[in-house]
Amino acid sequence: MTKVVAVPMKSKFGGVNHEENFEDTTKPKQPLKRKLFKTKWFPILLVALGYFVWLAVDYFHHRYPQSQSRIQLPGKHQNDDYPFIPCSEKIGPPPTHRRPVPGRPGLTLAEQETIITESISNTTISQWSYYYTHGKHLAGTNKSTAEWTRDKWIEYGIPSHLAEYEVYLNYPVSHSLSLAIDGEEEFVAGLEEDVLPEDPTTGAKDRVPTFHGYSKSGRVEAEYVYVGMGGKRDYQRLVDLGVDLKGKIALAKYGGAFRGLKVKYAQEQGMIGVLMYSDPGDDGDITEGNGYAAYPAGPARNPSSVQRGSAAFLATMAGDPTTPGYPSKPGAERRDPSEFIPSIPSLPLSFKDALPFLQALDGYGLTAAEVDRSGWTGGLNVSYSVGPRPGAVINLSNEVDYTYAPIWNTIGIINGTIEDEVIVIGNHRDAWIVGGASDPSSGTAVLIELSKAFGELLEQGWKPKRTIILASWDAEEYGLIGSTEWVEEFATWAVPNMVAYVNVDVAVSGPHFHLAVTPELFSLVEGTIKDVPSPKAPGKSIYDEWVADRGPSRVRVPGTGSDFTAFVHTSGIAIIDLSFKRGPNDPVYHYHSNYDSYAWMTRWGDPYFAYHSTMAQIAAKTVLRISENVLLPHNVATFSTALQFFLSDLKDEITIVGITLNVSPLEAAISRFMAAAGDLMAIKEALEPGEWGGEQEAIVNERLGKFERGFIGDGLPGRVFYKHLIYAPGVETGYGATTLPGITEAVRVGDVKEATKYVGITAAAIDEVAKFLEG
């Protein structure tokens, strides 16, 4: 039992019959016994024999043993295109008193980590960042950066290739926006960000215009209504208060919900267009109103900054909207994407451009106090009245070009000695802008630095125990496309081998450590950051700072918004999402803006790239500890504790809504899971001190690394892409997770029949996973 179990988990992990026969497809062939041997002499003799064999083999081959007797998963087979080339030698066990990690003789895991840490350099990370932030890398336009990434990994000894897909994208052509009052034009929006002499890439010739990915082409003219954050309940509140939304244009703040959902809810209300802007009231204390100068002179938001981004319905699906559930290869069947992308036009705005539209509504329609919705007002000197104002009309034009375009994932593979245990570490490479110093290039620079660091180990004869894949995804920004298409392509044989996915998207946008993680890997990350020093507080670790910052209380299970989505929500793979973010007193991070630039990073974000190198250490040690430990670091006891708190949260929801729902099948299934998890962790701990388990090690790893597959069902109601029964993106918010989603979402709308159905489905899945853990 790890320390995390003793921490109050409720704050930590916020956030039908089960059709898949999990027990039949993934149960080990042999039962796992609690006592491995009945006498003390047999293991001693076995150890002595194993030590002799190991010394002889190591002398000639310098290889780590190939673990055998893995279970056969559905669809797993040898394929000519199989990207992993496992070692086939069968070698006896190492001595029980010392288990060297794979690689050259005597190279311990601690020594590996030292080599990695010493090879990480702020200087080279800065060079990688500079490269990625000085050229256009919008999805489908960045093959040269994909090739450069591939060539760098090859240079460092990692075989790499490009995986190409043909996907449905849109690109900006032209746009315009104006306000007329009583027939007289009052304001024409610039719809551009200011070019700053202090920030060279803001004036790049190939800079990307402001637009929304997957936005609808069209021209609309109508009165408009301010809708707050544009969440589903914001729109419903206005309808309940008698505001006529039909035929109007919505003006919404960013925040609260994924931007695509703001458009989705507007079109469901009969509205004909949407404008979104970034309000300085959401920037914490660092605002011009509080006396801070705007970027580039100071840390506050530049008034002309615009948040670009995708308007796809990410809470419904990820990936290419024309190929739901299968890869977008040339010649693939294409389906109507209208279920997943908007049918009305939208544009993003700066708060400088949004201000005249807000001012024109002052005193018209409902007041902010009458609406009484959290987050309704912002930091501008306006009343945030709803409107509409009679005679105040917006003319909105958005012209985009829809096309099928190639995208390129860069994939690097460090083959391990075990065929069917794989770790993937990845981040996307595409950006809405030329810069993208935080999103995505902070994570991409970290990936290149990791390839250099792993190259140092490879030069010393190292070979990982488990295969490590480096992945630089394309088209993440449009809808997590590159990673989703890759998962869909390899779902039948490569994906079932994966034991973890580590994500480093937006690795650095500030100094505060943040974590989203599946519960079984929390204690791994907790232990890792205890061993990584703080770049700003001598003698302190990242863990010390994180605890002081109340970070553990903000850990979340995965929703969506980055490339871990397909791994966990369609395949049940454990994930870790690592980042350093800004706090309310840190310089404003200009998300998806031209000002997310190398100049901003070197002046305000991470001037010495200290947090970049710290993230590289965290990511490298995390991957090594998954790869190199004989027993996987997954903790199913932590998962069982999380299940208890998810159940408690569900009961709170039931009480709030005021319905009666029988959750006793869920309680019984969770109790069985807890007992099975406790027994398995006890067996794991018995093996860890040095007792070589042979077949036992293989079976324990199988259960630890792949138990979460059993929570993958047939898909949640109305969004079959999301199949995980324990967590899913919030159906009304997109980003953050809803736990026990099939039940919880039904409870929130008072649908007892649907909730009861999903109590049965979820309980059956948990019960089957418990059986899997028991063997």
Side-chain angles (χ1 to χ4, degrees), residues 148-227:
W148 189 90
T149 304
R150 176 200 62 196
D151 294 345
K152 271 295 174 188
W153 290 352
I154 292 173
E155 176 185 336
Y156 294 128
I158 301 171
S160 303
H161 65 275
L162 300 186
E164 182 173 326
Y165 301 92
E166 188 175 85
V167 303
Y168 191 58
L169 302 175
N170 72 330
Y171 297 105
V173 177
S174 66
H175 55 205
S176 64
L177 179 68
S178 62
L179 170 65
I181 298 179
D182 297 330
E184 296 293 326
E185 187 172 82
E186 295 288 329
F187 174 69
V188 177
L191 300 180
E192 289 187 1
E193 295 176 289
D194 294 342
V195 173
L196 308 177
E198 303 91 335
D199 191 338
T201 57
T202 63
K205 291 182 180 179
D206 57 352
R207 64 187 183 273
V208 182
T210 57
F211 84 112
H212 280 150
Y214 289 127
S215 58
K216 177 76 172 177
S217 273
R219 176 183 292 273
V220 293
E221 186 173 359
E223 292 181 346
Y224 65 104
V225 173
Y226 175 66
V227 296

Side-chain angles (χ1 to χ4, degrees), residues 345-364:
S346 66
L347 287 175
L349 302 179
S350 65
F351 75 75
K352 181 175 73 173
D353 274 349
L355 185 57
F357 295 97
L358 291 165
Q359 289 172 329
L361 293 182
D362 278 349
Y364 290 90

Side-chain angles (χ1 to χ4, degrees), residues 110-332:
E111 289 168 339
Q112 286 187 28
E113 292 185 359
T114 298
I115 292 169
I116 286 279
T117 300
E118 290 177 350
S119 71
I120 292 170
S121 163
N122 302 32
T123 301
T124 51
I125 291 177
S126 173
Q127 292 170 0
W128 315 142
S129 176
Y130 186 91
Y131 168 77
Y132 283 109
T133 56
H134 282 74
K136 183 179 178 180
H137 42 131
L138 189 63
T141 69
N142 60 13
K143 188 174 185 180
S144 63
T145 61
E147 293 171 331
W148 189 90
T149 304
R150 176 200 62 196
D151 294 345
K152 271 295 174 188
W153 290 352
I154 292 173
E155 176 185 336
Y156 294 128
I158 301 171
S160 303
H161 65 275
L162 300 186
E164 182 173 326
Y165 301 92
E166 188 175 85
V167 303
Y168 191 58
L169 302 175
N170 72 330
Y171 297 105
V173 177
S174 66
H175 55 205
S176 64
L177 179 68
S178 62
L179 170 65
I181 298 179
D182 297 330
E184 296 293 326
E185 187 172 82
E186 295 288 329
F187 174 69
V188 177
L191 300 180
E192 289 187 1
E193 295 176 289
D194 294 342
V195 173
L196 308 177
E198 303 91 335
D199 191 338
T201 57
T202 63
K205 291 182 180 179
D206 57 352
R207 64 187 183 273
V208 182
T210 57
F211 84 112
H212 280 150
Y214 289 127
S215 58
K216 177 76 172 177
S217 273
R219 176 183 292 273
V220 293
E221 186 173 359
E223 292 181 346
Y224 65 104
V225 173
Y226 175 66
V227 296
M229 287 189 176
K232 185 172 186 176
R233 299 185 187 190
D234 292 319
Y235 288 107
Q236 188 58 52
R237 174 65 173 163
L238 295 179
V239 170
D240 292 343
L241 290 171
V243 178
D244 182 10
L245 300 178
K246 289 183 174 59
K248 304 293 194 304
I249 294 171
L251 174 60
K253 288 199 307 174
Y254 272 118
F258 182 72
R259 71 186 70 77
L261 295 183
K262 298 172 189 282
V263 183
K264 180 176 187 288
Y265 298 139
Q267 70 184 40
E268 288 176 350
Q269 293 293 341
M271 304 186 83
I272 61 173
V274 179
L275 303 172
M276 297 179 216
Y277 78 99
S278 299
D279 194 295
D282 298 325
D283 289 339
D285 296 329
I286 309 302
T287 65
E288 290 183 282
N290 286 336
Y292 293 92
Y295 178 75
R301 179 180 298 278
N302 185 290
S304 71
S305 69
V306 178
Q307 181 192 138
R308 299 154 181 81
S310 174
F313 302 159
L314 196 57
T316 304
M317 73 157 290
D320 185 335
T322 68
T323 60
Y326 56 94
S328 292
K329 289 292 188 178

Side-chain angles (χ1 to χ4, degrees), residues 743-757:
I743 312 168
T744 301
E745 289 166 3
V747 166
R748 287 174 178 170
V749 297
D751 190 339
V752 176
K753 182 178 179 181
E754 184 79 353
T756 301
K757 172 185 172 182

Side-chain angles (χ1 to χ4, degrees), residues 394-623:
I394 282 176
N395 189 302
L396 182 164
S397 175
N398 179 56
E399 185 179 352
V400 293
D401 177 33
Y402 271 92
T403 185
Y404 290 99
I407 63 168
W408 306 274
N409 295 333
T410 305
I411 306 295
I413 301 167
I414 308 174
N415 280 298
T417 57
I418 298 180
E419 174 186 349
D420 54 356
E421 292 180 7
V422 177
I423 306 106
V424 181
I425 178 166
N427 178 41
H428 68 101
R429 189 183 60 258
D430 65 298
W432 296 112
I433 52 180
V434 167
S438 287
D439 184 9
S441 298
S442 59
T444 304
V446 164
L447 275 183
I448 297 295
E449 192 68 8
L450 288 184
S451 72
K452 178 169 73 74
F454 286 139
E456 294 284 340
L457 284 176
L458 290 168
E459 283 187 358
Q460 300 191 39
W462 169 73
K463 185 172 187 176
K465 180 178 176 68
R466 297 175 177 92
T467 292
I468 298 170
I469 295 179
L470 304 181
S472 175
W473 311 114
D474 199 357
E476 184 268 1
E477 293 291 7
Y478 278 83
L480 322 178
I481 294 176
S483 56
T484 300
E485 300 310 310
W486 191 82
V487 168
E488 289 173 346
E489 181 176 11
F490 297 116
T492 58
W493 49 277
V495 172
N497 294 330
M498 295 176 191
V499 295
Y501 174 74
V502 179
N503 199 53
V504 287
D505 186 9
V506 198
V508 181
S509 60
H512 301 276
F513 183 70
H514 279 247
L515 175 65
V517 64
T518 48
E520 68 268 33
L521 291 179
F522 172 80
S523 53
L524 165 68
V525 179
E526 181 187 48
T528 300
I529 62 176
K530 288 178 180 178
D531 295 334
V532 176
S534 162
K536 67 178 180 182
K540 297 286 188 180
S541 68
I542 293 298
Y543 178 81
D544 295 330
E545 290 189 350
W546 191 48
V547 170
D549 198 31
R550 294 184 63 251
S553 68
R554 293 191 292 269
V555 175
R556 292 293 181 264
V557 292
T560 188
S562 194
D563 288 305
F564 57 76
T565 299
F567 288 92
V568 64
H569 292 301
T570 70
S571 300
I573 295 166
I575 71 97
I576 299 170
D577 185 49
L578 302 166
S579 61
F580 284 104
K581 297 184 178 182
R582 73 173 293 261
N585 297 309
D586 298 313
V588 171
Y589 159 48
H590 295 76
Y591 178 56
H592 288 182
S593 159
N594 278 341
Y595 308 130
D596 178 13
S597 62
Y598 186 82
W600 177 85
M601 184 62 74
T602 55
R603 188 171 304 175
W604 297 105
D606 188 17
Y608 302 103
F609 288 85
Y611 280 94
H612 284 69
S613 60
T614 299
M615 177 57 73
Q617 290 184 53
I618 294 170
K621 290 182 178 182
T622 298
V623 170

